[in-house]
Amino acid sequence: MASQNQPRGAFIVLEGADRAGKSTQCQMLVEHLTAKGVAAELWRFPDRTTAVGKMINSYLTSQSEIDDAAVHLLFSANRWEKREELLRKLHAGTTLVVDRYAYSGVAFTAAKGLPGLDRAWCMAPDAGLPAPDAVFFLSLTVEAAEARGGYGEERYEKAEFQRKVLDQFAAMRSSSWRMIDASQPIDAMQRQLREQAAVVVARCQRGTEAVGKLWESGAVGGAPLTQLNQ
Ligand code: NYM
Ligand code: MG
């Protein structure tokens, strides 16, 4: 691709279970980058504004029932439909701070423990999507999350299920993920994120980094295929 290895925006993903503080941290990070003169946007998956996203929203709010495999593919399709715009923004120099990505997709479906829907199956539809330049994993125990006023009303927001989600994240975690202790005060966590994000933004700005692809080895968050199915 001609636009590879040109100065570009950074693709930064924040992951973690529900109530870890991802949305707050993403918002603060984008405000900080913008104030520093870095073009930055906050994105989130699922993106509930698209036609596919509306189906996902209706599923998450229990207004509809969708087969588990089918809804998994919708979450993935929701990323694929944003792929072109995502790449366009990065190559135009905009840094994207993204609240959840394919890692949530894999962890939440695999946590259901359904026959046939193992981690390898869950990863397959996202293969080839743009890989983030950095994954920050906001780590928080279920007990600490519950102490924050409990989970919400949406599907999946139950302690027992969240435990399984955390197990899945742990199983797919790659050494390239940056673990952030999400039990810290908001400002301390944000300071850590800013410091690490600045390095990633500068690296992409220098124009030495091509956008990788999921789940290729070498790409951030890419799991070695040999570790699948374990
Ligand atoms: N979720 C999110 C999935 O099950 N699969 C996915 O691919 C993604 C991106 O949606 N409980 C789940 C995780 C959350 C829920 O996300 C809604 P949020 O960030 O609370 O809007
Ligand atoms: Mg939520």
Side-chain angles (χ1 to χ4, degrees), residues 115-148:
L117 308 194
D118 59 12
R119 259 199 316 283
W121 184 91
C122 291
M123 287 170 78
D126 288 311
L129 278 173
D133 298 300
V135 176
F136 293 100
F137 188 85
L138 273 52
S139 178
L140 191 71
T141 63
V142 168
E143 290 70 28
E146 278 188 306
R148 287 189 171 174

Side-chain angles (χ1 to χ4, degrees), residues 20-32:
K22 292 181 301 300
S23 303
T24 305
Q25 294 295 329
C26 281
Q27 205 175 329
M28 289 172 79
L29 182 56
V30 169
E31 280 166 15
H32 167 75

Side-chain angles (χ1 to χ4, degrees), residues 12 14-17 19-29 32 136-141 144-145 148 178-198:
I12 295 172
L14 269 71
E15 276 287 6
R19 290 291 173 274
K22 292 181 301 300
S23 303
T24 305
Q25 294 295 329
C26 281
Q27 205 175 329
M28 289 172 79
L29 182 56
H32 167 75
F136 293 100
F137 188 85
L138 273 52
S139 178
L140 191 71
T141 63
R148 287 189 171 174
R178 297 138 199 257
M179 305 302 286
I180 306 281
D181 173 7
S183 68
Q184 299 178 79
I186 290 177
D187 290 341
M189 220 195 310
Q190 180 62 208
R191 255 198 313 279
Q192 221 178 322
L193 274 173
R194 285 179 185 178
E195 273 169 26
Q196 301 202 31

Side-chain angles (χ1 to χ4, degrees), residues 36-57:
K36 288 257 168 197
V38 176
E41 281 183 17
L42 171 55
W43 281 33
R44 59 163 52 236
F45 288 106
D47 178 336
R48 304 188 195 212
T49 64
T50 71
V52 171
K54 289 192 171 90
M55 292 172 74
I56 292 171
N57 182 59

Side-chain angles (χ1 to χ4, degrees), residues 18-19 48 100 154 157:
D18 289 291
R19 290 291 173 274
R48 304 188 195 212
R100 296 190 194 279
E154 291 203 331
E157 298 189 336

Side-chain angles (χ1 to χ4, degrees), residues 18 44-46 48 60 75 79 100-101 104-105 108 156:
D18 289 291
R44 59 163 52 236
F45 288 106
R48 304 188 195 212
L60 287 172
F75 275 108
R79 288 182 278 280
R100 296 190 194 279
Y101 197 52
S104 274
F108 277 78
Y156 303 149

